[in-house]
Amino acid sequence: MRYLKIEKDKTYEFLEKLKKYGKLYAPVKISDKFYVRKEIEDVKEIAFDYQRTLLPLKKYFLPTTEKMFEIDIEKSEYRENLEKIEPFVIFGAHACEIVGLRILDGVYLNIYPDIYYARRRKAGIIIGLSCLPDEYCFCNLRRTDFVDIGFDLFFHELPDGYLIRVGSQKGHEIVDENLSLFKNVEQKDIDAFREFEERRQKSFKYQGSFDNIRYILELTSNDKLWDEESNKCLGCGNCTMTCPTCRCYDVQDIPRIDLKSGERIRFWDSCQFRSHGLVAGGHNFRETKKDRFLNRYVCKNSYFYPLGTSYCVGCGNCTYFCPANIDFQKNLDKIRSNYEVIHG
């Protein structure tokens, strides 16, 4: 892998140059508690020390609402919505977010190839950014706190700039086209990188691993915790909407008022909605709130075998944005403790 350094006074100049590769999107602070990722006009707006955004990275590749195709009802024909996707740049993706995107890649590029997702994925340039965990983060338990593939460039914080890892051919091209902004990495930079990584590891609130948690969940579906916690749940779907790897969607055909044409759209759906499991005839595969609540825990802790990690990347978004203060990580800890008390 190729390593370079950019000093702080050159960083904004580089960010400005990124705009020539497409629209630049990056995190911006909008209140005391919240950040969003949006198109950047003034690069000085960019927040470098954020933990999470209201909507995760997936929104650029799997939009909240998307027209799939136009329908000509009279001719019984349809036309796919394959308008040109302009190139764009995402700056500031954290390691767990990039792993989350790789999980979506596995689903939408390999298992169920999706042309709409694939076209956006091809158009997007991903630039990662190191971070320090807050009390909600447990990506270390998921082994997603460091990423070695899935980005074009990755910025690691140094006292006087950033150590940059180049992760793709596109990343090499960007660096080579702006070479005057970069320097070679020196030993003091490597030492600073190591110190930052050590500080980052010590900053995690939780230590250990959740490698066996899926099996414990499957063996404890009758635990009283599921009744207690699901009773608190509002069923609002915030946990799935803010999750970087939740990918369920619904599809609707919308006829126009002339009843001669229409369009098919898809939009984000949530397994926490009662309607998600409802099928023709009125049967519901997950009738109760407890059914839906437990299903999410089992689903997120199932293994995504191609990457060797679970579908949960430990970002903490579901807990941070839950209006009922349901703590996903603490519930996993509790259920594991209850299991160990019973089974030793």
Side-chain angles (χ1 to χ4, degrees):
M1 187 168 278
R2 185 180 181 185
Y3 301 91
L4 295 156
K5 179 184 178 181
I6 189 167
E7 295 181 331
K8 278 191 175 172
D9 62 350
K10 301 283 188 185
T11 302
Y12 285 120
E13 185 178 347
F14 175 68
L15 290 170
E16 193 63 40
K17 288 185 179 297
L18 285 176
K19 293 179 182 176
K20 71 181 179 184
Y21 300 100
K23 288 183 179 178
L24 174 63
Y25 298 96
V28 172
K29 189 171 187 175
I30 59 168
S31 69
D32 288 341
K33 190 175 180 182
F34 297 125
Y35 294 81
V36 297
R37 191 174 272 118
K38 69 170 194 174
E39 185 179 354
I40 299 297
E41 297 293 333
D42 181 357
V43 294
K44 295 289 180 64
E45 283 187 282
I46 296 174
F48 290 83
D49 59 349
Y50 82 106
Q51 254 80 36
R52 54 185 56 79
T53 52
L54 279 168
L55 286 182
L57 193 57
K58 67 182 179 186
K59 72 174 184 176
Y60 293 105
F61 306 95
L62 187 67
T64 54
T65 302
E66 178 172 38
K67 182 168 74 174
M68 302 177 76
F69 46 78
E70 298 266 351
I71 308 164
D72 187 320
I73 297 172
E74 287 189 327
K75 296 180 181 177
S76 297
E77 294 178 348
Y78 72 94
R79 181 173 60 84
E80 282 190 298
N81 180 38
L82 297 178
E83 297 172 358
K84 184 179 180 183
I85 304 295
E86 297 292 338
F88 60 95
V89 182
I90 304 288
F91 177 79
H94 291 160
C96 63
E97 291 183 293
I98 293 172
V99 175
L101 196 55
R102 290 179 62 198
I103 290 173
L104 294 184
D105 286 350
V107 175
Y108 286 122
L109 297 182
N110 300 325
I111 301 174
Y112 305 108
D114 184 293
I115 190 171
Y116 308 102
Y117 179 88
R119 294 170 79 244
R120 289 191 171 85
R121 195 68 177 93
K122 188 176 180 181
I125 295 170
I126 304 295
I127 300 183
L129 179 66
S130 63
C131 58
L132 290 172
D134 67 5
E135 63 186 286
Y136 300 94
C137 297
F138 58 101
C139 55
N140 59 326
L141 305 188
R142 298 298 196 188
R143 307 176 192 273
T144 63
D145 54 318
F146 193 89
V147 65
D148 63 350
I149 194 171
F151 55 85
D152 297 290
L153 300 172
F154 201 105
F155 278 47
H156 291 272
E157 182 179 332
L158 297 175
D160 56 350
Y162 294 92
L163 183 149
I164 299 171
R165 290 187 287 143
V166 182
S168 72
Q169 182 58 42
K170 188 64 182 177
H172 282 288
E173 292 170 7
I174 292 173
V175 165
D176 289 338
E177 290 165 6
N178 300 279
L179 206 53
S180 63
L181 297 176
F182 301 100
K183 296 175 61 175
N184 291 326
V185 174
E186 299 176 5
Q187 186 59 48
K188 68 180 179 65
D189 303 316
I190 298 171
D191 293 341
F193 169 73
R194 183 183 298 118
E195 288 171 11
F196 180 87
E197 288 300 310
E198 289 175 356
R199 181 157 58 96
R200 191 165 67 91
Q201 288 302 320
K202 291 177 181 175
S203 299
F204 282 106
K205 183 178 179 180
Y206 308 101
Q207 301 295 332
S209 85
F210 271 155
D211 289 354
N212 64 348
I213 196 70
R214 168 192 171 185
Y215 307 103
I216 293 175
L217 289 172
E218 291 174 346
L219 292 168
T220 56
S221 60
N222 293 322
D223 194 289
K224 64 180 181 180
L225 177 139
W226 303 119
D227 294 303
E228 296 168 356
E229 291 296 302
S230 63
N231 279 337
K232 299 179 191 173
C233 178
L234 304 177
C236 66
N238 262 17
C239 50
T240 57
M241 300 301 170
T242 58
C243 174
T245 66
C246 278
R247 59 206 172 275
C248 290
Y249 60 81
D250 199 356
V251 174
Q252 287 187 3
D253 290 339
I254 312 292
R256 296 199 174 91
I257 195 167
D258 61 4
L259 297 181
K260 294 179 180 178
S261 61
E263 61 186 31
R264 174 166 292 184
I265 63 168
R266 68 176 174 183
F267 51 90
W268 290 6
D269 198 4
S270 172
C271 60
Q272 299 308 291
F273 297 160
R274 186 179 180 279
S275 58
H276 187 76
L278 190 63
V279 296
H283 178 72
N284 198 316
F285 288 101
R286 297 188 190 95
E287 181 67 37
T288 69
K289 193 165 63 172
K290 180 185 173 184
D291 293 336
R292 299 188 286 275
F293 190 87
L294 178 58
N295 172 71
R296 185 173 77 88
Y297 276 74
V298 173
C299 174
K300 302 312 298 183
N301 287 284
S302 296
Y303 273 107
F304 182 69
Y305 288 101
L307 293 189
T309 185
S310 72
Y311 284 96
C312 169
V313 295
C315 65
N317 285 4
C318 57
T319 300
Y320 188 82
F321 292 111
C322 177
N325 295 319
I326 296 171
D327 192 316
F328 186 78
Q329 199 281 338
K330 276 188 180 175
N331 282 340
L332 293 179
D333 256 354
K334 283 181 186 174
I335 208 72
R336 182 166 62 178
S337 297
N338 292 349
Y339 177 85
E340 288 171 351
V341 167
I342 297 169
H343 297 278

